[in-house]
């Protein structure tokens, strides 16, 4: 059995992450609707705010990881992050209490979003790192542990729209507040569980308490790097990010400041400057630097996974709504229910995958960790190929069987289980301890970049016969649209597969 003999701490982290994701996805399920139906924002403004939120929420883990590795340690960062997010959800609740006074409601909403973005930065990389810390470096159960943790993510994701949606999305704008309040209570429940059981359950394999203050300062002392130099380096990095953001914002599409995409520019600038800044750290040995380089290569390819996968919330939902025959017997399934397919499938398939790897391992057939990332990308391409086949001659407005979308989600979920939990485990294993939360932040930076890319790609969705194109490829029909993702993830999968053997060899080399 997958959970046989796992340390107690993994169940604590499962429960904490489950409540946090309940809060995160519960708010996400309501947020667009709240802006459009209660605050009366137009769809364009609401989509812009939504896109910026989902991009920024995965950018701050870099900052939260940095502070945890240098000053606070994992436990304190998780508690602070959880409380800040609970406060953010509470501000959204207050905003929805006064939804009829748009300027108040908008101010409270933006303040709430700011707290959610900041809080997630402290929470997400640190809880992800703690999972790995429960095991010794060579413990083969680590991939299974991350898979179990990933199940917690998805139990939360599946409950969230059901509970927060039922309470908040009733068709009456005055009810949104109850959905946000439920998200706030979920976050507090996670915090209480973590604080209540943390000191008892979070132990390293030799029984010492985990998640305390970091090792970085000690290592800086050992490598005799004066702290003044550290401060100067941090300022240089911040200045580099600011300068590049300004440059991108001005020159992005030649349209100047007025049209600037500030969030996209900030994410792009950070994605270029931070990885360089980290790898240039003077305290790193050659081997550590090489391993961090491997994390970067994989994180780059993973951007294309999440950008294609995240179409679930955008173009694939239009497809479910407009082009999928959702009748089952006499009942028509709401398009929004498709959002639950993926988390449900993760929960069902995760134990199978966690058992599959050791089974393959015993026979000497288990793919290496980078091969698994490439297989994840390949399955994503196959999912899109499957649906492109389903819609090959379909005219706009004609509906296809539910089986095509269900099949796509099944194939994508299998890909996700090869890539996401194994990726977390791999990042943990490759990171020097004193940088592990910061590098988790780099891993989540790919999700942040992917959120921006996903928004752009979703705009290629064919509508009204308007001709669009992607890198010279004409996108006119639905099949063309899906083939863009086949191409993107297929090429990334093949290139990563070709590099995998070499990367895995480099991981094992010493010195
Ligand atoms: N479903 C995952 C989560 O919410 C996705 C994480 C990611 O890296 N995109 O944690």
């Amino acid at each position: 059995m997958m959970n046989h003999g796992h340390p107690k701490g993994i169940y604590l982290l499962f429960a904490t992450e489950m409540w946090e994701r309940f809060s995160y996805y519960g708010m996400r399920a309501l947020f667009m609707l709240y802006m459009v139906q209660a605050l009366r924002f137009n769809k364009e403004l609401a989509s812009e705010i939504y896109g910026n939120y989902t991009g920024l929420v995965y950018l701050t883990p870099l900052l939260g990881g940095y502070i945890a590795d240098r000053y606070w340690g994992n436990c304190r960062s998780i508690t602070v992050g959880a409380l800040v997010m609970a406060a953010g959800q509470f501000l959204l609740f207050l905003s929805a209490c006064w939804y009829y006074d748009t300027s108040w409601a908008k101010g409270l909403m933006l303040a709430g979003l700011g707290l959610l973005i900041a809080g997630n930065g402290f929470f997400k990389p640190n809880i992800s790192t703690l999972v790995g810390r429960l095991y010794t470096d060579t413990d083969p159960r680590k991939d299974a542990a991350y898979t179990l943790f990933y199940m917690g993510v998805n139990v939360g994701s599946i409950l969230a729209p059901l509970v927060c949606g039922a309470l908040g999305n009733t068709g009456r704008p005055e009810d949104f507040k109850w959905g946000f309040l439920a998200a706030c209570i979920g976050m507090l429940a996670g915090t209480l569980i973590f604080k209540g059981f943390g000191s008892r359950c979070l132990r390293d394999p030799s029984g010492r308490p985990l998640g305390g203050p970091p090792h970085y300062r000690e290592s800086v002392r050992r490598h005799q790097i004066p702290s003044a130099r550290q401060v100067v380096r941090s300022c240089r990095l911040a200045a580099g990010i600011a300068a590049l953001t300004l440059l991108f914002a001005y020159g992005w599409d030649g349209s100047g400041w007025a049209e600037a995409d500030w969030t996209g520019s900030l994410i792009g600038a950070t994605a270029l400057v931070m990885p360089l800044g980290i790898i240039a750290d003077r305290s790193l040995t050659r081997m550590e630097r090489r391993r961090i380089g491997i994390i970067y290569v994989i994180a780059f390819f993973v951007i294309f996974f999440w950008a294609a996968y995240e179409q679930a919330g955008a173009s694939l939902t239009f497809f479910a709504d407009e082009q999928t025959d959702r009748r089952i017997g006499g009942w028509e399934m709401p398009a929004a229910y498709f959002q639950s397919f993926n988390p449900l499938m993760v929960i069902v398939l995760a134990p199978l995958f966690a058992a599959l790897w050791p089974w393959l391992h015993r026979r000497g057939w288990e793919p290496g960790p980078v091969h698994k990332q490439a297989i994840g990308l390949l399955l994503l391409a196959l999912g899109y190929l499957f649906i492109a086949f389903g819609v090959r001659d379909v005219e706009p407005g004609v509906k296809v069987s539910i089986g095509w979308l269900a099949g796509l989600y099944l194939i994508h979920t299998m890909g996700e289980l090869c890539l996401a939990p194994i990726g977390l485990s791999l990042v943990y294993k490759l990171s020097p301890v004193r940088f592990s939360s910061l590098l988790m932040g780099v891993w989540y930076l790919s999700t942040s970049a992917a959120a921006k890319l996903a928004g752009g790609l979703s705009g290629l969705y064919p509508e009204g016969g308007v001709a669009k194109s992607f890198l010279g490829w004409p996108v006119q029909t639905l099949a063309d649209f899906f083939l863009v993702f086949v191409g993107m993830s297929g090429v990334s999968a093949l290139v990563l597969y070709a590099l995998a053997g070499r990367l895995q060899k480099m991981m094992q080399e010493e010195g």
Side-chain angles (χ1 to χ4, degrees):
M1 262 315 280
M2 117 191 220
N3 57 359
H4 177 69
H6 278 280
K8 274 191 293 217
I10 189 72
Y11 301 103
L12 172 74
L13 298 178
F14 178 104
T16 309
E17 177 66 348
M18 181 189 96
W19 281 113
E20 186 272 330
R21 289 287 98 180
F22 169 87
S23 171
Y24 175 76
Y25 285 110
M27 174 271 180
R28 263 181 56 161
L30 292 174
F31 184 42
M32 269 296 246
L33 296 170
Y34 172 63
M35 285 190 286
V36 174
Q37 293 173 7
L39 300 184
R40 307 249 162 242
F41 290 179
N42 61 36
K43 284 215 181 72
E44 204 178 325
L45 176 63
S47 311
E48 193 184 322
I49 296 178
Y50 185 84
N52 287 340
Y53 169 68
T54 49
L56 289 176
V57 92
Y58 280 112
L59 184 65
T60 46
L62 273 176
L63 193 63
Y66 178 89
I67 291 179
D69 284 344
R70 279 168 174 69
Y71 307 107
W72 287 359
N74 296 130
C75 287
R76 186 167 167 200
S77 306
I78 291 172
T79 311
V80 169
L83 290 173
V84 170
M85 282 194 281
Q89 300 287 14
F90 192 71
L91 288 189
L92 287 181
F93 163 71
L94 290 182
S95 164
C97 287
W98 282 297
Y99 74 94
Y100 42 82
D101 181 344
T102 314
S103 59
W104 256 106
K106 191 175 167 192
L108 285 166
M109 181 191 85
L110 292 178
L113 291 181
L115 292 184
L116 290 177
I117 289 168
N120 190 59
F122 287 105
F123 190 96
K124 194 78 168 154
N126 286 296
I127 194 154
S128 310
T129 309
L130 261 186
V131 174
R133 291 206 206 285
L134 295 167
Y135 300 83
T136 57
D137 283 350
T138 50
D139 195 321
R141 293 171 304 171
K142 227 177 254 155
D143 287 0
Y146 272 102
T147 306
L148 194 57
F149 173 76
Y150 208 69
M151 264 174 93
V153 165
N154 285 278
V155 175
S157 327
I158 197 160
L159 291 177
L162 298 177
V163 178
C164 299
L167 291 171
N169 181 20
T170 59
R172 294 166 6 123
E174 59 271 33
D175 285 339
F176 278 109
K177 58 179 178 292
W178 303 124
F180 292 131
L181 190 63
C184 174
I185 293 172
M187 196 61 255
L188 289 174
T191 322
L192 282 179
I193 294 173
F194 186 74
K195 284 304 283 175
F197 297 97
S199 52
R200 220 171 317 153
C201 301
L202 293 172
R203 304 269 156 175
D204 72 10
S206 52
R208 279 189 305 256
L210 269 181
H215 309 260
Y216 186 82
R217 265 183 258 182
E218 196 188 298
S219 110
V220 163
R221 224 173 289 131
R222 208 171 50 236
H223 289 87
Q224 297 181 327
I225 301 171
S227 47
R229 191 186 292 170
Q230 291 296 313
V231 174
V232 172
R233 280 200 62 226
S234 304
C235 292
R236 264 209 312 252
L237 285 181
I241 293 174
L244 214 55
T245 304
L246 289 174
L247 191 75
F248 285 165
Y250 189 74
W252 199 248
D253 49 9
S255 48
W257 303 116
E259 298 291 318
D261 172 5
W262 287 100
T263 314
S265 306
L266 179 64
I267 293 172
T270 311
L272 288 177
V273 173
M274 278 308 283
L276 289 177
I278 297 170
I279 212 160
D281 192 288
R282 298 271 289 262
S283 75
L284 290 171
T285 64
R286 252 187 57 183
M287 190 178 81
E288 288 173 336
R289 205 164 269 144
R290 194 163 56 208
R291 293 180 159 198
I292 293 175
I294 298 172
I295 297 180
Y296 291 175
V297 173
I298 301 170
F300 171 75
F301 284 98
V302 163
I303 295 177
F304 302 107
F305 180 90
W306 293 115
Y309 170 96
E310 282 298 334
Q311 296 305 312
S315 59
L316 290 176
T317 299
F318 302 146
F319 181 76
D321 193 37
E322 294 159 13
Q323 303 238 235
T324 303
D325 180 3
R326 287 171 276 111
R327 278 169 307 172
I328 302 176
W331 173 67
E332 179 159 49
M333 186 172 87
Y337 278 29
F338 276 97
Q339 298 288 317
S340 310
F341 275 39
N342 165 252
L344 191 65
M345 288 171 180
V346 171
I347 295 164
V348 174
L349 294 178
L352 295 180
F353 270 74
L356 174 71
W357 304 131
W359 187 85
L360 289 174
H361 184 76
R362 282 194 297 276
R363 281 156 188 76
W365 298 337
E366 189 186 9
V370 188
H371 282 121
K372 287 180 188 165
Q373 305 295 298
I375 294 171
L377 271 160
L378 195 66
L379 285 167
L380 201 76
L382 283 180
Y384 278 111
L385 192 61
F386 176 76
I387 204 163
F389 182 75
V391 299
R392 63 198 181 286
D393 303 314
V394 172
E395 297 292 318
V398 175
K399 297 194 169 182
V400 298
S401 153
I402 213 167
W404 295 110
L405 208 47
L408 167 133
Y409 279 122
L410 179 66
I411 303 171
H412 280 187
T413 305
M414 294 196 292
E416 181 181 3
L417 282 168
C418 293
L419 180 135
I422 310 299
L424 288 169
S425 173
L426 185 59
V427 171
Y428 179 80
K429 284 184 243 176
L430 288 174
S431 306
V433 169
R434 62 193 191 284
F435 281 101
S436 53
S437 306
L438 180 59
L439 288 165
M440 238 356 136
V442 172
W443 179 251
Y444 285 119
L445 186 58
S446 359
T447 303
S448 174
K452 282 316 276 180
L453 183 59
L457 291 171
S458 156
L460 294 172
Y461 192 76
E463 49 192 350
V466 181
K468 299 177 182 175
S469 82
F470 175 72
L471 302 178
W473 165 276
V475 182
Q476 255 158 2
T477 64
L478 274 170
D480 294 340
F481 175 72
F482 291 131
L483 286 174
V484 168
F485 296 99
V486 176
M488 189 176 81
S489 16
V491 169
S492 318
L494 294 178
V495 178
L496 186 58
Y497 204 91
L499 293 175
R502 173 100 193 88
L503 292 174
Q504 280 158 189
K505 213 161 123 230
M506 280 167 70
M507 279 176 206
Q508 268 133 33
E509 282 165 13
E510 300 291 328

